[in-house]
Amino acid sequence: MASTAVVAGNPFILSEWNEYGVNPFHSTAFISMAAYACLNDWDGLIVYFYHTSESWNDQPADEITNIFDAYNDPSLICQFGFMAALFLGDLVRPAEHRVDLVFTQNDLKTLPPAFSMPNAYLPYITSLRNVFLDQGDAYTGDADVAVTAGFVKNGDLSQAKRAVYYAWSPYRDALRHANGEGRLERLAAKADEELPGAKLGDRILVFNEIAPLAGEGDYTTFAANLDVALKRWGLLPDDRGLVGSALVSDTGELAFDPKAGTFRIRTEGCPYFSGDPSNGIALTKDISLSLINHRISAALLPVKGTSVECSETYLLMVLGHTGMDETIFTTEGLFTTVDFQGKLYADTPEGTLFVRCKSATLTALDTVGTPIASIEYAPAHDGVTFVLDGTIPAVHFLLERK
């Protein structure tokens, strides 16, 4: 939703953003936001809200007292260093392509019956910007793809490299003086491939009627058609975009699979996994986790150098469910009341860490990086294995392989 506020040619900082700890597993949101901000080349993220008190010294160390408070949320604070390193260190590359969402002056004077975002697929895949036409309805930009905002049946994308058309209104103007009947049909005549509810050509994708296709907020067909178009146009290889049920960035570094319940980052400098760990977690070709936790977030950073494959020393973060251990959720209709009870907790990793090497050390760290325990390894085929039994009060570890 933040992508709707990004204006082409202007810096963009997302202010007052947070993921409140209603869901016991919400650590994915912080890293995925930073990662997709990098993909879309945003300039800043401001986390809201640190705490709700006006005093600095009345915050309990072992409780979360307000749903807005972030200072004591392990899912945020324990990942904050990784999130900052990822965003500030350019560990996730900007998208390889750019898409402009084009608004005419008539688009700005109206809205669909309920504001809809069929273009929501795009910022997960590539870079999305909004372009507002000051004079006339003709787009003259240089984006790889231009998409009409489609609030009315106007907007001329004939000068775009590639164009996507759709319209919520049958009229060409916001005041409904000019009927747009036949306009999309004439554009579709330039296309040669039939898709569900659309026609595709070498430089154009036209959706016949967007309301039946996406009017209820289900944008899967729109996304599937757009994905077919991007691949036909040579902007996405087969292993990017929609791949099964996953959304894979055009860089190949980010993959979000809602059906599998996983989000992954695969880059030279920062492998990350969040979600269901039941199929194992391969952080690098030599380092992997096998855990029984219901949900987990795991990050790996090289302590020296920029490549996890070449480094010998790493900071490892492994974090499961967090929050207050006796919280009560009461659902009535569309609303859920959250009553914080008990004490602060963080689910620590349970399972094994495998490292392909002759020997290694694994040191558990407290929240400020002080060593609190050493974990002995056991020899394994082609490497060593560390047993993580969940009893050490730590989610950060220093791993050194030899």
Side-chain angles (χ1 to χ4, degrees):
M1 292 183 68
S3 66
T4 61
V6 182
V7 180
N10 291 273
F12 179 70
I13 295 176
L14 182 61
S15 64
E16 296 197 4
W17 162 79
N18 202 343
E19 170 67 25
Y20 304 127
V22 176
N23 189 318
F25 186 73
H26 59 280
S27 51
T28 316
F30 299 108
I31 304 302
S32 63
M33 179 63 81
Y36 286 113
C38 291
L39 182 73
N40 285 268
D41 200 20
W42 295 352
D43 298 279
L45 299 172
I46 298 175
V47 176
Y48 168 98
F49 190 104
Y50 188 66
H51 63 68
T52 49
S53 172
E54 297 296 328
S55 301
W56 67 270
N57 60 352
D58 65 346
Q59 307 300 293
D62 58 354
E63 294 179 3
I64 298 174
T65 58
N66 191 291
I67 196 171
F68 293 100
D69 288 341
Y71 79 99
N72 225 11
D73 181 354
S75 283
L76 173 63
I77 299 304
C78 291
Q79 294 190 114
F80 213 104
F82 179 78
M83 183 166 57
L86 184 154
F87 185 80
L88 299 176
D90 297 322
L91 299 184
V92 170
R93 291 189 291 122
E96 295 180 357
H97 303 290
R98 192 179 84 241
V99 177
D100 283 350
L101 186 64
V102 182
F103 292 82
T104 67
Q105 289 299 304
N106 272 287
D107 283 322
L108 298 178
K109 295 173 183 176
T110 186
L111 279 174
F115 179 59
S116 302
M117 289 180 60
N119 53 316
Y121 154 84
L122 286 164
Y124 287 96
I125 302 301
T126 190
S127 175
L128 179 66
R129 296 286 189 274
N130 298 289
V131 172
F132 301 99
L133 301 181
D134 296 325
Q135 297 181 356
D137 293 341
Y139 169 80
T140 58
D142 61 353
D144 296 286
V145 180
V147 182
T148 180
F151 293 172
V152 292
K153 276 188 178 178
N154 70 346
D156 176 6
L157 307 182
S158 60
Q159 299 179 63
K161 295 177 183 177
R162 303 161 190 88
V164 178
Y165 288 94
Y166 62 89
W168 292 95
S169 170
Y171 295 94
R172 294 178 65 98
D173 66 316
L175 298 180
R176 302 183 180 184
H177 290 160
N179 193 303
E181 184 178 353
R183 183 168 188 264
L184 292 182
E185 288 78 6
R186 289 190 294 272
L187 290 167
K190 303 175 183 178
D192 57 21
E193 183 178 348
E194 292 283 350
L195 298 176
K199 286 196 71 176
L200 173 62
D202 289 336
R203 292 181 54 249
I204 194 170
L205 173 65
V206 182
F207 289 88
N208 307 327
E209 293 185 65
I210 195 66
L213 199 67
E216 300 299 321
D218 183 348
Y219 307 139
T220 51
T221 301
F222 183 95
N225 288 350
L226 188 50
D227 189 74
V228 171
L230 294 176
K231 287 172 178 172
R232 171 169 169 171
W233 295 338
L235 299 178
L236 291 177
D238 290 341
D239 62 349
R240 312 285 168 86
L242 285 177
V243 183
S245 58
L247 293 158
V248 182
S249 66
D250 67 3
T251 62
E253 293 182 343
L254 309 181
F256 169 45
D257 191 331
K259 288 188 178 180
T262 60
F263 170 71
R264 298 175 185 269
I265 302 174
R266 291 189 177 97
T267 75
E268 183 182 9
C270 68
Y272 179 82
F273 172 92
S274 192
D276 181 358
S278 58
N279 291 324
I281 305 169
L283 294 173
T284 74
K285 62 181 178 60
D286 295 326
I287 302 173
S288 60
L289 288 160
S290 179
L291 304 175
I292 63 171
N293 302 73
H294 179 59
R295 291 287 186 272
I296 209 76
S297 290
L300 191 68
L301 281 175
V303 173
K304 295 180 181 179
T306 59
S307 171
V308 290
E309 298 293 353
C310 300
S311 182
E312 300 296 329
T313 306
Y314 307 89
L315 179 63
L316 173 66
M317 188 281 302
V318 190
L319 177 75
H321 287 187
T322 64
M324 297 281 281
D325 61 5
E326 297 178 11
T327 297
I328 299 171
F329 301 92
T330 305
T331 300
E332 296 181 4
L334 298 175
F335 297 94
T336 298
T337 302
V338 182
D339 185 11
F340 289 119
Q341 299 287 337
K343 293 296 180 181
L344 187 67
Y345 81 98
D347 186 26
T348 52
E350 296 183 61
T352 58
L353 168 67
F354 171 79
V355 184
R356 184 174 286 104
C357 61
K358 293 181 179 179
S359 66
T361 61
L362 185 65
T363 306
L365 309 174
D366 68 11
T367 53
V368 295
T370 304
I372 58 173
S374 294
I375 303 169
E376 298 297 325
Y377 73 81
H381 175 67
D382 202 26
V384 300
T385 299
F386 295 92
V387 175
L388 306 171
D389 61 8
T391 62
I392 299 174
V395 298
H396 294 103
F397 303 85
L398 184 67
L399 170 63
E400 297 179 272
R401 61 176 182 172
K402 302 174 182 178

